[in-house]
Amino acid sequence: MNKINRIIKIAGIFLLAGIIAGCDNFEDINTNPDTITRSSASMQCTGVILANLKFGGRDAQAYLVPNGLSKYIAYVNEIQMAEQYNRLTTGSFDAMTILPNIETMVEYATGTPMEDSYRGLAKFSRAFMFYRLTMRMGDIPYSETGQGIAGNYTPKYDAQKDVLIGILDELKEADAHFAKGVKFEGDPTPYAGDPAKWRRASNAFALRVLMSLSKKESDASLNVKGRFAEIVNGGNLLEESTGYLGLAYTSVNMHPLSGTNDLFTSRTLVGSLLVDEFKRLNDRRLFYYAEPARQALDEGKTGSDFEAYIGPDVSRDYTTLTAEYLTGAYSALNLRYLRDQASEPRILVSYAEQELILAEARILNWITSGTAENYYREGVKSALKAQMNTNSAYAHGMAINQEYIDNYFTGEAAFKTTPDEQLKQIRMQRYILHFMQDPEVSYFEYRRTNYPVFPINPGTNLNLNNPNSIPMRWMYPGSETNYNRDNLIEALNSQYDGSDEINKLMWILK
């Protein structure tokens, strides 16, 4: 019996050896032919786009946080929202984890008909990601990022000026690649892989970057005005028919606030800064953004009455705000955000914002084509049309229609006569655009223009080192102290007198 077992074992060994020898790769006999074992440019493309454009926070509360920072809302749940009261802590470099995926996408695309399109997307995606990081913190690792495979785990920090020049150069490269591109696969945005639309959006985003550099327009090495005019004269900008760059919410990819009606989000109030502006402009977007105050309804007002909407000063003491909310004194967030899975799309680059940026540029004499008034009107009309496309069942009988849009520019909404007043109008309309969309942009714009005027209450301000002001930046990630300390110290010394503090002014703001 033992001899037979030995013979069987020996035969089995030879048989296994023969099988292995007959295969070029042992994995060939252990791979399920019905599974995907190798990625592709299109698969990487989807991940890269979502990493940049999809809301990446942990929950609905995190979605509200940047709206609190930009003074759109007051939060009156079980605890106060620190950002509403100007508490900023450390930022994060986690967004840089997109870089290997970008490189892999380009690698897989090389030599294919879609190569230029994917290279354009790679350049845009890098620019979009790095811009957000430098606007949050200042100098950041840029030129030496993504070199971990080569053994560089401690990248130097590039000066913010150099980072922004690099971003603008990458966006110019994106324009050139998209110009030669063909329709590409893996794009989850409404553009569906159309390189012409991506080209236009990339150029519109470049205009936003350049406008954020308005304090540096006299710097010859930056050539802000020249770059801006070159893009405008090139003609490849967003048209209203292009649509927005962003993501559509669906029953699968639901709006982050949907389904939270009975939880903390129902205790989100729309602040007085926004509510009072809508009243002043006779702007019906108010009815899409907020609910009427319960006290106002009890007093006989209707939901279609502008005066039924009351926004709190978001800097008021949290305990006082909460008590006043419980009496029905204030307007809460419109219920469509909490009930609809697709209350509105996520819009990150739009024709409306582009036109408002062009309006400001015309007043600043950066461009000579068009008029500031026409750009202003085009931008606002586009924003109103986008609102008209949302569910009017939540508009409290004050739906936006084409007739309303055609007659919008009267009273306080009519274009003003002096440049200072015109700039305030334009900047306020940009502020309105980013409510529940990309509200951090409004914080960046506030730092640049000091408008609109954010409420500041020294008694509640969590900016303890400067209670009479809004903080100017996030601090660097704590992990940098442990893993990239020397470069961090050098960056702090060159920018902020060695102190990683939230009130320090980064280069772009000086």
Side-chain angles (χ1 to χ4, degrees):
M1 187 70 173
N2 290 336
K3 183 176 181 180
I4 293 173
N5 287 337
R6 285 197 299 274
I7 292 172
I8 292 173
K9 287 180 179 179
I10 292 170
I13 292 170
F14 278 107
L15 178 62
L16 179 61
I19 292 172
I20 294 173
C23 297
D24 292 331
N25 190 330
F26 183 69
E27 291 180 358
D28 291 347
I29 63 172
N30 289 278
T31 299
N32 183 343
D34 296 324
T35 62
I36 297 173
T37 58
R38 177 176 168 86
S39 184
S40 64
S42 64
M43 291 173 63
Q44 293 294 331
C45 164
T46 304
V48 166
I49 291 173
L50 291 178
N52 257 338
L53 304 187
K54 185 177 181 180
F55 169 66
R58 66 186 183 278
D59 55 25
Q61 184 180 15
Y63 185 83
L64 293 172
V65 163
N67 286 279
L69 175 63
S70 294
K71 313 311 171 198
Y72 289 113
I73 62 168
Y75 178 75
V76 287
N77 198 38
E78 75 280 5
I79 57 172
Q80 69 179 16
M81 178 185 287
E83 290 79 4
Q84 175 187 331
Y85 294 99
N86 307 317
R87 182 172 181 263
L88 287 183
T89 54
T90 56
S92 171
F93 287 157
D94 289 351
M96 292 187 191
T97 57
I98 195 178
L99 294 174
N101 297 332
I102 291 174
E103 292 174 4
T104 303
M105 176 182 70
V106 173
E107 176 188 345
Y108 288 158
T110 300
T112 72
M114 300 178 191
E115 179 178 347
D116 270 306
S117 294
Y118 287 123
R119 287 190 180 276
L121 179 63
K123 292 297 182 180
F124 171 83
S125 300
R126 283 175 50 90
F128 193 91
M129 180 271 293
F130 280 119
Y131 177 72
R132 189 62 58 104
L133 292 183
T134 190
M135 291 296 282
R136 287 174 177 169
M137 289 170 271
D139 294 3
I140 57 170
Y142 174 68
S143 61
E144 293 185 359
T145 54
Q147 297 181 3
I149 294 178
N152 183 3
Y153 302 110
T154 56
K156 72 173 184 178
Y157 284 60
D158 293 270
Q160 187 174 46
K161 178 179 178 178
D162 295 332
V163 173
L164 287 163
I165 290 174
I167 287 169
L168 290 168
D169 289 345
E170 292 202 67
L171 289 170
K172 188 172 183 177
E173 291 179 70
D175 171 82
H177 284 300
F178 282 134
K180 297 182 292 183
V182 299
K183 186 177 176 64
F184 60 97
E185 298 172 348
D187 178 9
T189 77
Y191 291 171
D194 185 338
K197 291 182 177 181
W198 274 95
R199 183 187 187 189
R200 292 178 184 278
S202 182
N203 286 328
F205 179 68
L207 297 186
R208 182 198 290 178
V209 176
L210 286 163
M211 186 54 69
S212 68
L213 282 160
S214 63
K215 290 180 180 291
K216 305 295 182 180
E217 68 170 280
S218 60
D219 188 322
S221 62
L222 283 169
N223 189 26
V224 172
K225 292 189 285 187
R227 284 180 182 262
F228 196 100
E230 181 182 5
I231 293 171
V232 174
N233 294 336
N236 286 289
L237 290 173
L238 289 173
E239 298 171 337
E240 190 163 29
S241 60
T242 311
Y244 65 88
L245 178 59
L247 296 168
Y249 289 114
T250 65
S251 59
V252 177
N253 175 36
M254 297 183 292
H255 191 285
L257 298 183
S258 66
T260 60
N261 187 38
D262 296 327
L263 301 176
F264 54 84
T265 48
S266 63
R267 299 181 67 161
T268 302
L269 311 179
V270 183
S272 58
L273 181 56
L274 196 59
V275 170
D276 292 350
E277 184 64 21
F278 281 142
K279 290 180 179 180
R280 195 177 69 85
L281 295 173
N282 196 37
D283 194 316
R284 290 190 184 182
R285 281 176 286 187
L286 172 63
F287 302 98
Y288 289 82
Y289 288 0
E291 292 292 314
R294 192 176 72 247
Q295 273 188 11
L297 296 179
D298 292 343
E299 293 168 0
K301 293 184 175 65
T302 66
S304 59
D305 185 345
F306 276 96
E307 295 309 312
Y309 295 80
I310 309 295
D313 175 348
V314 301
S315 69
R316 282 172 65 80
D317 174 72
Y318 170 76
T319 302
T320 303
L321 267 182
T322 303
E324 291 171 343
Y325 157 77
L326 293 174
T327 69
Y330 298 125
S331 291
L333 192 65
N334 191 287
L335 290 175
R336 70 187 175 92
Y337 290 105
L338 314 182
R339 293 179 178 174
D340 278 8
Q341 295 174 333
S343 58
E344 63 188 22
R346 180 168 171 80
I347 301 174
L348 296 170
V349 181
S350 69
Y351 175 74
E353 184 187 28
Q354 172 191 281
E355 295 303 287
L356 292 170
I357 290 172
L358 290 171
E360 178 165 351
R362 187 67 182 87
I363 293 172
L364 298 177
N365 292 316
W366 289 10
I367 54 176
T368 57
S369 58
T371 67
E373 180 174 6
N374 283 342
Y375 288 131
Y376 163 77
R377 291 170 68 95
E378 275 293 298
V380 176
K381 282 182 180 179
S382 181
L384 292 172
K385 287 177 182 177
Q387 200 66 68
M388 184 170 63
N389 291 331
T390 61
N391 192 345
S392 62
Y394 291 100
H396 303 287
M398 293 293 280
I400 293 173
N401 54 33
Q402 190 59 51
E403 181 182 4
Y404 170 78
I405 295 173
D406 292 340
N407 294 294
Y408 179 85
F409 301 98
T410 59
E412 290 298 320
F415 202 53
K416 301 294 185 180
T417 57
T418 68
D420 286 345
E421 291 178 312
Q422 292 166 355
L423 286 173
K424 287 181 178 180
Q425 282 183 293
I426 293 163
R427 290 164 179 172
M428 177 57 78
Q429 289 290 344
R430 279 192 73 187
Y431 179 76
I432 293 170
L433 272 183
H434 296 295
F435 174 71
M436 291 292 160
Q437 289 291 344
D438 194 4
E440 205 169 281
V441 173
S442 293
Y443 166 70
F444 297 153
E445 281 296 291
Y446 168 81
R447 295 185 314 184
R448 179 177 75 94
T449 67
N450 293 316
Y451 195 81
V453 178
F454 285 2
I456 300 172
N457 181 347
T460 63
N461 197 347
L462 295 179
N463 182 8
L464 301 181
N465 289 345
N466 195 349
N468 291 301
S469 71
I470 304 293
M472 292 290 105
R473 59 178 291 270
W474 283 264
M475 295 183 290
Y476 287 112
S479 58
E480 290 291 282
T481 302
N482 298 323
Y483 301 109
N484 199 12
R485 183 179 180 85
D486 289 344
N487 287 318
L488 171 63
I489 291 174
E490 182 178 345
L492 290 174
N493 288 336
S494 66
Q495 297 174 97
Y496 305 130
D497 300 319
S499 175
D500 195 4
E501 201 269 335
I502 61 175
N503 293 290
K504 296 289 186 178
L505 286 182
M506 59 184 65
W507 171 82
I508 200 171
L509 300 177
K510 294 179 181 178

